[in-house]
Amino acid sequence: MGLSETLERQGGNLFRWRGHIPVILFLAVIPVLYFNRDNEIVPLFNHMITAAAVLICLAGFVVRAWTIGTTPKGTSGRNTREQVAET
């Protein structure tokens, strides 16, 4: 199997499981956050990092909502076997 076939197969797997990968990563981070003792050293810095992370997440949700809300009809769909988009 060549490199291009391997990359295509790996890309297909990542695309297929793209909704589950963040959940797996989130579950993997929970023990790290629970057993981390660094948050007792500089609590103000941790609050600032947390606030920045929340703002970045909210900005991502806003961009996603804007993109979904402004997508014209007939340009995307939940098709897996054949292309149904008009453009």
Side-chain angles (χ1 to χ4, degrees), residues 19-87:
H20 301 286
I21 292 173
V23 174
I24 294 168
L25 291 175
F26 178 74
L27 292 176
V29 166
I30 289 175
V32 173
L33 294 176
Y34 182 75
F35 293 112
N36 186 7
R37 299 292 180 206
D38 290 340
N39 58 359
E40 297 172 359
I41 298 172
V42 186
L44 179 61
F45 181 71
N46 282 332
H47 292 305
M48 289 173 22
I49 294 292
T50 301
V54 169
L55 289 175
I56 290 171
C57 289
L58 290 175
F61 284 133
V62 167
V63 168
R64 183 179 173 120
W66 179 271
T67 303
I68 292 171
T70 58
T71 302
K73 294 284 187 191
T75 57
S76 63
R78 290 186 165 264
N79 50 314
T80 57
R81 306 240 186 266
E82 64 184 51
Q83 185 61 261
V84 296
E86 297 168 4
T87 58

Side-chain angles (χ1 to χ4, degrees), residues 1-11:
M1 180 181 306
L3 180 62
S4 62
E5 290 89 11
T6 302
L7 290 175
E8 185 175 341
R9 191 185 78 233
Q10 290 175 352

